[in-house]
């Protein structure tokens, strides 16, 4: 039997996992910088939450078109992935030079669009080339992102504790742009999905099929509710540590790093379990535990309890989204992998748009801890939605890997 993780497939997986690490390093670093933005520009909690709502709106606007491009122009996938990294670097340059809240929102839009460029192409390529180990492959790619999730907050926390946050933003952006160009040079001749590109008629027929797929629609709703909850935790956990607990920037980055680091090992492990025993039996308990751990942050204090709550939350906060992506790809008709990821992530981004602003309103009225009650309730609701799936609906795909 042909080995799945060998030769060009292995190189592709490693390269995209590295790029994903860089992408998430700067994405999660953003949340550590946000309290400094709030202080510098004198923002209310609602304005603070609106920053993340703006990012979600920009992300949602581009994800579906990016998925269309990922499926129709399969051989140009590397342009989208490298372009996403370059765009993220440019966003941080703009942020570092921002004189007011309006320019901060412009940088936020660039972050959202850059994240949208990466995922449809990268996840579609991996999903089809490594179809028989899809859960594990997407989880390893996700693990690269989780390493970035852990490194980014610590890196930015240390930097803005030593120099001005504006200076740290544009200084860190320069090596990211250079690494993105290097990635394009290395991967530009590596084919993503072998074979002819999908015809437009067949492509749009498969899109219509996705919209009629009951399993896919349930996944979209569940994933959207989960995303509403987790984005509020991402946005307000750093503010909670900074404002309510009085942590320094470096300490905020450290606690945020703890939350992200625990998922590094759990992602491939849960991905393996889902390949072995099925998506449904793994994803529903994982969602329920995530919701409970987010709620427990409220009563965790500022010492060992918070460390434990952050670590336990981190075990699932990204892993469940990877499991949802694998489940969606299992239900995907051939030739629409990028659109499937774009539909799942784009709908999640649409769900996310109001959530940080709602969380900001709750924070102003009832205090920051109320955000964790709100987010935990949403994640628990997302787990309940998955109970409506037929028991045999999330069977693992057995497509042949390239």
């Amino acid at each position: 039997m042909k080995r799945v993780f060998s030769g060009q497939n292995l190189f592709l997986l490693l390269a995209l996992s590295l790029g994903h690490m860089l992408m998430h390093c700067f994405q999660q670093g953003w949340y550590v910088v946000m309290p400094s933005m709030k202080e510098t520009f004198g923002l209310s909690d609602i304005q603070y939450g609106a920053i993340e709502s703006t990012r979600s709106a920009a992300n949602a606007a581009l994800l579906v078109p990016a998925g269309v491009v990922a499926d129709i122009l399969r051989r140009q996938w590397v342009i989208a992935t490298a372009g996403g990294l370059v765009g993220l670097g440019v966003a941080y340059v703009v942020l570092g030079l921002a004189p007011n809240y309006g320019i901060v929102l412009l940088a936020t839009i660039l972050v959202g669009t850059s994240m949208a460029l990466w995922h449809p192409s990268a996840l579609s390529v991996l999903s089809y080339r490594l179809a028989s180990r899809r859960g594990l492959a997407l989880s390893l790619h996700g693990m690269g992102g989780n390493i970035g999730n852990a490194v980014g907050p610590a890196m930015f926390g240390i930097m803005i504790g030593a120099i001005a946050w504006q200076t740290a933003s544009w200084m860190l952006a320069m090596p990211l742009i250079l690494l993105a160009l290097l990635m394009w040079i290395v991967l530009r001749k590596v084919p993503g999905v072998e074979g002819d590109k999908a015809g437009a008629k067949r492509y749009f027929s498969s899109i219509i099929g996705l919209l009629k797929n009951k399993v896919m629609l349930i996944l979209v709703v569940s994933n959207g509710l989960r995303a509403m909850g987790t984005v509020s935790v991402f946005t307000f956990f750093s503010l909670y540590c900074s404002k309510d607990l009085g942590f320094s920037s470096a300490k905020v980055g450290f606690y945020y790093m703890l939350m992200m680091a625990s998922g590094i090992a759990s992602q491939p492990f849960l991905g393996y379990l889902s390949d072995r025993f099925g998506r449904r039996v793994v994803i529903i308990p994982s969602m329920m535990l995530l919701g409970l751990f987010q709620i427990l942050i409220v009563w965790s204090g500022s010492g060992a309890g918070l460390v434990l709550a952050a670590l336990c939350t981190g075990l699932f906060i990204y892993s469940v989204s990877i499991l949802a992506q694998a489940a969606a790809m299992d239900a995907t008709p051939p030739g629409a992998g990028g659109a499937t990821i774009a539909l799942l992530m784009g709908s999640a981004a649409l769900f996310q748009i109001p959530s940080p602003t709602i969380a900001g309103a709750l924070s102003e009225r009832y205090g920051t801890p109320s955000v964790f009650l709100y987010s935990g309730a949403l994640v628990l609701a997302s787990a309940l939605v998955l109970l409506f799936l037929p028991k045999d609906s999330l069977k693992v795909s057995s497509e042949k890997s390239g």
Side-chain angles (χ1 to χ4, degrees):
M1 180 180 291
K2 183 179 177 181
R3 292 176 61 191
V4 176
F5 294 111
S6 62
Q8 198 173 74
N9 281 351
L10 179 61
F11 178 74
L12 185 66
L13 177 60
L14 292 175
L16 289 179
S17 297
L18 174 62
H20 199 215
M21 181 190 75
L22 293 171
M23 181 69 73
H24 279 261
C25 180
F26 280 77
Q27 181 191 22
Q28 295 301 330
W30 181 268
Y31 294 118
V32 176
V33 178
M34 282 183 69
S36 297
M37 299 182 210
K38 185 179 190 295
E39 182 179 358
T40 298
F41 298 110
L43 307 179
S44 67
D45 285 0
I46 294 176
Q47 288 176 309
Y48 177 86
I51 294 175
E52 187 61 16
S53 291
T54 300
R55 187 201 63 80
S56 296
N59 190 255
L62 193 60
L63 262 171
V64 172
V68 172
V69 172
D71 282 329
I72 294 181
L73 302 177
R74 297 183 191 179
R75 295 186 183 277
Q76 285 71 47
W77 65 274
V78 72
I79 296 175
T81 51
L85 289 173
V86 170
L88 192 58
V90 172
Y92 269 87
V93 172
V94 173
L95 178 66
L97 301 175
N100 53 51
Y101 181 58
I103 303 302
V104 168
L105 293 180
L106 175 61
T108 305
I109 291 170
L110 290 173
V111 171
T113 54
S114 298
M115 295 297 296
L117 286 174
W118 177 274
H119 289 95
S121 292
L123 294 177
S124 179
V125 165
L126 289 176
S127 184
Y128 281 105
R129 287 190 67 107
L130 302 165
S132 65
R133 292 292 181 269
R134 179 173 289 151
L136 181 58
L138 296 189
S139 292
L140 288 170
H141 174 264
M143 186 176 72
N146 247 347
I147 293 173
N149 291 338
V151 171
M155 179 177 69
F156 275 89
I158 292 170
M159 286 288 288
I160 65 179
I163 59 177
W165 66 267
Q166 296 97 328
T167 304
S169 296
W170 66 258
M171 281 182 63
L172 289 169
M174 297 305 173
L176 176 64
I177 293 172
L178 292 175
L179 286 169
L181 295 175
L182 177 62
M183 177 170 287
W184 175 76
I185 293 170
V186 171
L187 293 178
R188 60 194 170 127
K189 294 185 179 180
V190 176
V193 181
E194 296 175 354
D196 297 330
K197 65 182 180 181
K201 183 177 180 180
R202 191 183 75 180
Y203 174 80
F204 287 109
S205 295
S206 66
I207 296 296
I208 293 172
L210 282 179
L211 297 175
K212 294 179 180 179
N213 188 323
K214 178 182 176 181
V215 171
M216 188 68 189
L217 291 178
I218 290 175
L219 288 171
V220 163
V221 173
S222 172
N223 194 54
L225 290 172
R226 176 206 59 79
M228 287 181 71
T230 56
V231 75
S232 298
V233 172
F234 288 147
T235 306
F236 282 87
F237 182 73
S238 57
L239 184 65
Y240 172 68
C241 291
S242 176
K243 184 180 77 171
D244 292 65
L245 303 181
F247 290 176
S248 66
S249 295
K251 195 171 182 180
V252 170
F254 173 74
Y255 272 79
Y256 209 114
M257 178 194 71
L258 289 177
M259 182 185 292
M260 297 296 101
S262 61
I264 294 173
S266 66
Q267 272 198 9
F269 178 67
L270 291 174
Y272 168 78
L273 290 179
S274 75
D275 284 339
R276 182 78 181 271
F277 301 108
R279 314 290 183 214
R280 192 178 192 271
V281 73
V282 177
I283 192 171
I284 293 176
S286 297
M287 288 265 206
M288 296 181 72
L289 288 170
L290 174 60
L292 291 173
F293 288 136
Q294 287 181 180
I295 290 171
L296 287 176
I297 293 174
V298 175
W299 296 283
S300 62
S302 60
L306 183 60
V307 169
L308 185 60
L311 287 171
C312 290
T313 298
L315 288 173
F316 303 102
I317 201 163
Y318 266 111
S319 300
V320 290
S321 66
I322 301 300
L323 295 175
Q325 290 165 12
M329 294 300 291
D330 290 337
T332 299
T340 299
I341 295 300
L343 177 61
L344 193 68
M345 298 186 72
S347 59
L350 284 173
F351 274 84
Q352 284 178 359
I353 290 172
S355 193
T357 305
I358 293 171
L362 290 172
S363 179
E364 283 199 351
R365 186 175 180 89
Y366 302 108
T368 315
S370 65
V371 173
F372 304 119
L373 299 176
Y374 162 75
S375 62
L378 286 168
V379 174
L380 290 174
S382 74
L384 294 177
V385 170
L386 290 178
L387 293 175
F388 289 95
L389 286 169
K391 290 185 179 180
D392 61 347
S393 62
L394 297 185
K395 292 181 178 179
V396 178
S397 171
S398 59
E399 291 177 74
K400 183 180 178 180
S401 291

